[in-house]
Amino acid sequence: MTEPRVYIIHENPQWIPPLAAAFAAEGVPIESWSLTDGSIDLSAEPPQGVFWSRLSASAHTRDHGASKEYGRAVLRWLESWGRTVIDGSRVLELEVSKAAQHAALRRAGIDVPRTIAVFGTADLSRRARELPAPFMSKHNQGGKGLGVRRFDSHDEFDAWVSGPDFEPSPDGITLLQEHLAAREPFVTRAEFVNGELVYAVRVDTSDGSFELCPAEACALPSAADEPPLPMFTLRRDIDPALIAQYRGFLAAEGIDIAGIEFIETVDGRTVTYDVNTNTNYNPDVEAESPRSAPREIARWLGSLLPALAQV
């Protein structure tokens, strides 16, 4: 029999090398399971190991939209055999639905933006008028900030909805959301492994972009004779009470590895707007932090393997 190992379930091979390097450094064996095609025998027993789901809401942007459905089938199969699944089928449903995230965060007592979920397009213009301008529109099923738009008037929104540039969410659900004005031009992403905070990331938003994927080589413009300014930096001044709230939320929802994003507003609110269970890690922050998130993941998942070797 194959020795127990960590199986990384994903649909984007470009995200794997930094993780593979961390697992190799910790001496933890891994195997990549790419869910872009293939098959499983539902009557066959899966191998022993730890199965870590890194399936992403943004899979459709890489022509892998069906991988979300493949993931539902594979994770249910693994769980039916009692395998150790990290961020399993229940968590996948949160990853692919911002409406589900909103409901779970609100239930945990965490401040979330006022949000209206619109099914289809017929009701979009009417419901948008329930929010003062400016307001936001975003895909219920998205990722990397794609599909997020700001509208400064309802007429501007109407023209977009009826025009050629309108792009529906893959699941047909558009979210209309209050605009949150930041006290300072940044948002924060808190990274958790095994339900515990590893570090928090300050994400500079002074250029107005909503595409904040930390895995990309993102940098702010700078003078030609200066190095680019990092978009992602380590943040140390995080409210412990907020982190305690997040820990409770993650435990309640069965989420082990995630990045949670929040914004501190001009009117004194701390508003949480996104939970990313397919988190990636920025190299600038990794270099600055005393703890590496991928190494923490490798150590933790590796520590689960010895018990499985006895099964």
Side-chain angles (χ1 to χ4, degrees), residues 8-12 15-16 19 52-56 86-87 95 257 277-281 297:
I8 303 178
I9 302 171
H10 67 96
E11 48 74 36
N12 185 7
W15 289 341
I16 300 303
L19 300 171
W52 175 26
S53 171
R54 286 186 48 79
L55 295 169
S56 171
I86 306 301
D87 288 353
E95 169 65 19
I257 300 171
T277 64
N278 177 45
T279 194
N280 289 290
Y281 304 101
I297 293 170

Side-chain angles (χ1 to χ4, degrees), residues 191-262:
E191 299 289 359
F192 291 83
V193 174
N194 192 17
E196 298 294 337
L197 180 70
V198 178
Y199 52 63
V201 182
R202 185 187 190 278
V203 186
D204 194 306
T205 59
S206 57
D207 67 348
S209 174
F210 299 112
E211 298 184 22
L212 307 177
C213 175
E216 299 173 355
C218 299
L220 297 173
S222 60
D225 59 346
E226 296 178 356
L229 299 173
M231 185 175 181
F232 303 90
T233 54
L234 193 66
R235 182 178 178 186
R236 303 178 189 275
D237 59 331
I238 301 298
D239 181 2
L242 179 65
I243 298 306
Q245 271 193 308
Y246 286 163
R247 290 174 59 205
F249 162 74
L250 294 170
E253 298 300 327
I255 303 171
D256 293 305
I257 300 171
I260 304 179
E261 295 182 13
F262 66 90

Side-chain angles (χ1 to χ4, degrees), residues 51-119:
F51 296 83
W52 175 26
S53 171
R54 286 186 48 79
L55 295 169
S56 171
S58 65
H60 61 280
T61 67
R62 295 175 289 278
D63 295 325
H64 298 157
S67 293
K68 303 165 194 177
E69 295 302 327
Y70 300 164
R72 286 185 169 105
V74 168
L75 296 178
R76 293 283 187 176
W77 170 63
L78 292 168
E79 290 164 353
S80 76
W81 285 94
R83 292 299 181 262
T84 300
V85 182
I86 306 301
D87 288 353
S89 60
R90 179 182 171 190
V91 175
L92 177 59
E93 299 309 316
L94 288 175
E95 169 65 19
V96 301
S97 174
K98 295 187 184 299
Q101 293 177 20
H102 187 282
L105 288 164
R106 181 196 52 77
R107 183 173 59 238
I110 295 169
D111 191 3
V112 289
R114 185 192 174 195
T115 304
I116 301 170
V118 181
F119 312 126

